[in-house]
Amino acid sequence: MTFYFAAKYSNREYVQRIASDFHNYGHAVTSEWLEGHHTDRSADKQREYAQADLDDIRKADVLVLFQLPCDIPEHSTGRAVEFGYAYALHKPIIIVRHKTSVFHYLPGISSYDTVDEFSRQYL
């Protein structure tokens, strides 16, 4: 199965470890942003990163939205756009942890209370 993992950039290293576990079990994770190359803040690079993320979502069978601690404000809410894009493409969506939007309650969206619960389902 091929996954796109969406999360706060500040949780990148944690989600990277989850992606590694998924790779070890034969799954693919298309989220190139996990490699940490999305650091250039220029407008041209930001457009390039956004397009790459949309391309990665299209390649995935499923989008997983990691709603890890969301109480700290962040400058980017790209994962909300990624969620909407995957939904518009009729991709299955899984939310891990907190539902923070009315859109997270749409029909057909799965959720897990913990990362371990989610991982046990697929590993």
Side-chain angles (χ1 to χ4, degrees):
M1 187 170 259
T2 303
F3 295 88
Y4 181 87
F5 287 170
K8 289 172 71 167
Y9 195 81
S10 61
N11 290 316
R12 182 180 61 81
E13 290 179 5
Y14 178 69
V15 175
Q16 211 172 27
R17 289 191 296 274
I18 297 167
S20 178
D21 290 342
F22 272 68
H23 283 293
N24 291 339
Y25 277 85
H27 297 294
V29 177
T30 63
S31 311
E32 289 184 31
W33 70 269
L34 289 173
E35 300 302 317
H37 304 298
H38 287 54
T39 55
D40 187 322
R41 305 316 262 164
S42 69
D44 287 341
K45 280 297 189 182
Q46 292 293 299
R47 273 190 293 280
E48 183 180 311
Y49 301 152
Q51 188 60 59
D53 291 347
L54 296 179
D55 293 344
D56 289 347
I57 292 166
R58 275 195 305 281
K59 294 175 194 170
D61 299 317
V62 178
L63 179 129
V64 181
L65 179 63
F66 288 95
Q67 291 288 86
L68 304 171
C70 294
D71 54 340
I72 300 168
E74 58 185 308
H75 72 278
S76 173
T77 55
R79 68 188 185 284
V81 174
E82 293 166 335
F83 171 92
Y85 186 69
Y87 192 80
L89 293 175
H90 306 286
K91 301 266 183 189
I93 297 173
I94 299 168
I95 297 173
V96 179
R97 300 268 317 251
H98 311 286
K99 292 182 178 183
T100 58
S101 168
V102 297
F103 296 100
H104 295 170
Y105 294 91
L106 287 168
I109 296 175
S110 305
S111 65
Y112 294 93
D113 292 331
T114 67
V115 172
D116 288 340
E117 185 182 317
F118 161 68
S119 294
R120 277 194 306 271
Q121 187 68 30
Y122 293 93
L123 301 181

